[in-house]
Amino acid sequence: MEVGNTTTVTTFVLLGLSNNPQVQAVLFVLFLGIYLLTLMGNLTMLLVIRTDSHLHTPMYFFLSHLSFLDAFYSSVIVPKLLENLLSKWKTISPLECFTQISLVIFSGATEACLLSVMAYDRFQAVCHPLLYVVAMNKKVCIGLVGASWAIGMGTGLVNSILLAQQHFCGPNLVRSFACELPPVLLLTCSDPYISVVSILTTMAVLGLGTLVLLLGSYTRIIMTALGINSAMGRSKIFSTCSSHFLVVTIFYGSGVFRYMTPASGSALEQVLSVQYSVVTPLLNPLIYSLKNQEVKAALRRVFTRKPRLTSNPAPLHPHNRRNSCATEEEAGRAITSYLKGLYLPKEKH
């Protein structure tokens, strides 16, 4: 479309991963399988946390939000990717493109906040176990999660609105399989200074800020673990925190390389984008289920539970109607059990 003597882009073209029809067919089957497994894994995690009373604690309350976010983020990227692999014309409207960018930034910012909140939760549980019930009560849990979602929404809206105010007059070829901020910014005909400053500020304040909180929390956790004389106690701490630390490493490793390096459309960038937006949401539930004994035990309980045969089942016990964050009495029992296992291991005869 032309406005005066200036041409305005009405559609963007996503170049995708390959132009070879045979390769596209293979990629379609591969990414469809990954997407279905991602949804199944994260929704299963949500189901288990919701239905198993042993997981009604702050740690798993945060994990349930992370699982929902991973399923949502994958649904923002993969369906359009699958559509383009089957389509000859891989076009996307500016509104769809800016919306996808907004949702991608929203998901990444929210996940960064949630991961730092989960690290803070582990810090309180390990370093201040006697005050854990007070520090991580129901209101605090809900407040931390609500703040994470609000920060993510605000970050996504601000960056996408600033990008939408740029002028795009051509070319319209996005060197990626999805609308992401770095490759789209290369297409602007106006000065992208404000958008560049905005995304760099987001990365510096939100990305590096949450990373500092993560590193600080885990430094204190490691120092506390090394100061414990009980080998069983150290093993419990490292076992509980290793899953979360691995997820953090994958998330920040791929995210920093993707968004803190200049966009060029190289093969390495495409690989990092696939890993960051397609593979990571699949890995998170696998890591938490395979490396966490409590989740594995809950999975066995949920999927081996026998249905009731009575026509009038007994009323649901209040114990099974707990909120996502543990009550003070329940958390107190959990902490007492934790401390006994941590500091009073059974002697070997």
Side-chain angles (χ1 to χ4, degrees):
M1 181 178 70
E2 293 189 1
V3 180
N5 294 326
T6 305
T7 302
T8 301
V9 169
T10 57
T11 58
F12 291 108
V13 178
L14 301 172
L15 294 183
L17 298 172
S18 174
N19 292 324
N20 189 318
Q22 294 179 338
V23 174
Q24 289 180 350
V26 173
L27 291 176
F28 177 84
V29 174
L30 174 64
F31 289 135
L32 178 61
I34 291 176
Y35 179 56
L36 294 177
L37 288 174
T38 299
L39 291 181
M40 183 174 65
N42 285 288
L43 295 179
T44 299
M45 188 69 71
L46 279 171
L47 173 67
V48 170
I49 294 173
R50 178 67 178 173
T51 57
D52 193 282
S53 60
H54 296 81
L55 302 184
H56 290 180
T57 63
M59 174 181 173
Y60 295 104
F61 173 67
F62 299 136
L63 180 56
S64 67
H65 282 264
L66 182 64
S67 295
F68 175 80
L69 184 64
D70 282 336
F72 172 81
Y73 181 41
S74 183
S75 298
V76 170
I77 297 294
V78 181
K80 187 63 178 179
L81 169 60
L82 296 175
E83 177 189 337
N84 288 339
L85 287 172
L86 296 178
S87 174
K88 181 179 179 181
W89 306 106
K90 301 171 175 52
T91 59
I92 184 171
S93 69
L95 178 59
E96 288 179 302
C97 186
F98 299 149
T99 300
Q100 190 176 59
I101 289 173
S102 177
L103 294 177
V104 167
I105 296 174
F106 154 68
S107 300
T110 305
E111 183 156 349
C113 292
L114 283 176
L115 290 175
S116 64
V117 165
M118 293 173 72
Y120 174 72
D121 171 69
R122 292 300 85 206
F123 161 74
Q124 290 291 348
V126 173
C127 301
H128 304 104
L130 298 180
L131 300 176
Y132 180 71
V133 176
V134 177
M136 301 304 295
N137 60 55
K138 180 180 179 180
K139 290 184 178 180
V140 171
C141 291
I142 295 175
L144 289 172
V145 167
S148 298
W149 286 97
I151 291 172
M153 290 178 185
T155 302
L157 282 175
V158 168
N159 283 281
S160 59
I161 289 173
L162 290 176
L163 178 64
Q165 293 177 347
Q166 300 294 324
H167 179 62
F168 297 89
C169 59
N172 64 342
L173 300 179
V174 180
R175 297 182 178 277
S176 180
F177 59 88
C179 275
E180 296 178 297
L181 192 57
V184 173
L185 268 180
L186 293 176
L187 305 179
T188 180
C189 299
S190 54
D191 186 1
Y193 175 77
I194 296 179
S195 290
V196 172
V197 170
S198 176
I199 193 63
L200 289 179
T201 302
T202 299
M203 294 295 296
V205 175
L206 190 58
L208 296 180
T210 54
L211 183 60
V212 168
L213 291 175
L214 283 161
L215 294 177
S217 297
Y218 274 102
T219 299
R220 291 291 304 276
I221 289 172
I222 292 173
M223 292 174 62
T224 301
L226 294 178
I228 295 175
N229 295 326
S230 166
M232 182 184 296
R234 288 194 299 271
S235 176
K236 284 187 176 182
I237 291 176
F238 288 126
S239 175
T240 302
C241 298
S242 61
S243 300
H244 183 251
F245 187 76
L246 182 57
V247 169
V248 167
T249 302
I250 295 173
F251 175 79
Y252 277 92
S254 56
V256 167
F257 279 108
R258 181 66 187 92
Y259 285 93
M260 294 298 286
T261 56
S264 62
S266 65
L268 178 60
E269 281 188 6
Q270 300 280 29
V271 171
L272 288 174
S273 293
V274 170
Q275 192 273 321
Y276 183 75
S277 57
V278 179
V279 180
T280 298
L282 170 65
L283 292 179
N284 287 353
L286 292 177
I287 291 171
Y288 279 109
S289 61
L290 295 178
K291 293 182 66 64
N292 191 305
Q293 296 298 327
E294 289 182 333
V295 173
K296 287 194 287 188
L299 284 169
R300 287 193 294 268
R301 285 192 294 268
V302 169
F303 291 108
T304 60
R305 185 178 298 167
K306 295 182 179 179
R308 296 180 181 272
L309 299 178
T310 57
S311 57
N312 296 315
L316 192 63
H317 193 277
H319 175 74
N320 292 325
R321 288 189 275 110
R322 295 184 294 179
N323 292 321
S324 296
C325 288
T327 63
E328 292 188 4
E329 181 182 355
E330 294 159 347
R333 289 198 299 269
I335 293 299
T336 302
S337 176
Y338 173 81
L339 290 174
K340 287 181 179 180
L342 191 62
Y343 296 105
L344 299 173
K346 295 180 180 180
E347 296 183 358
K348 297 182 179 179
H349 296 287

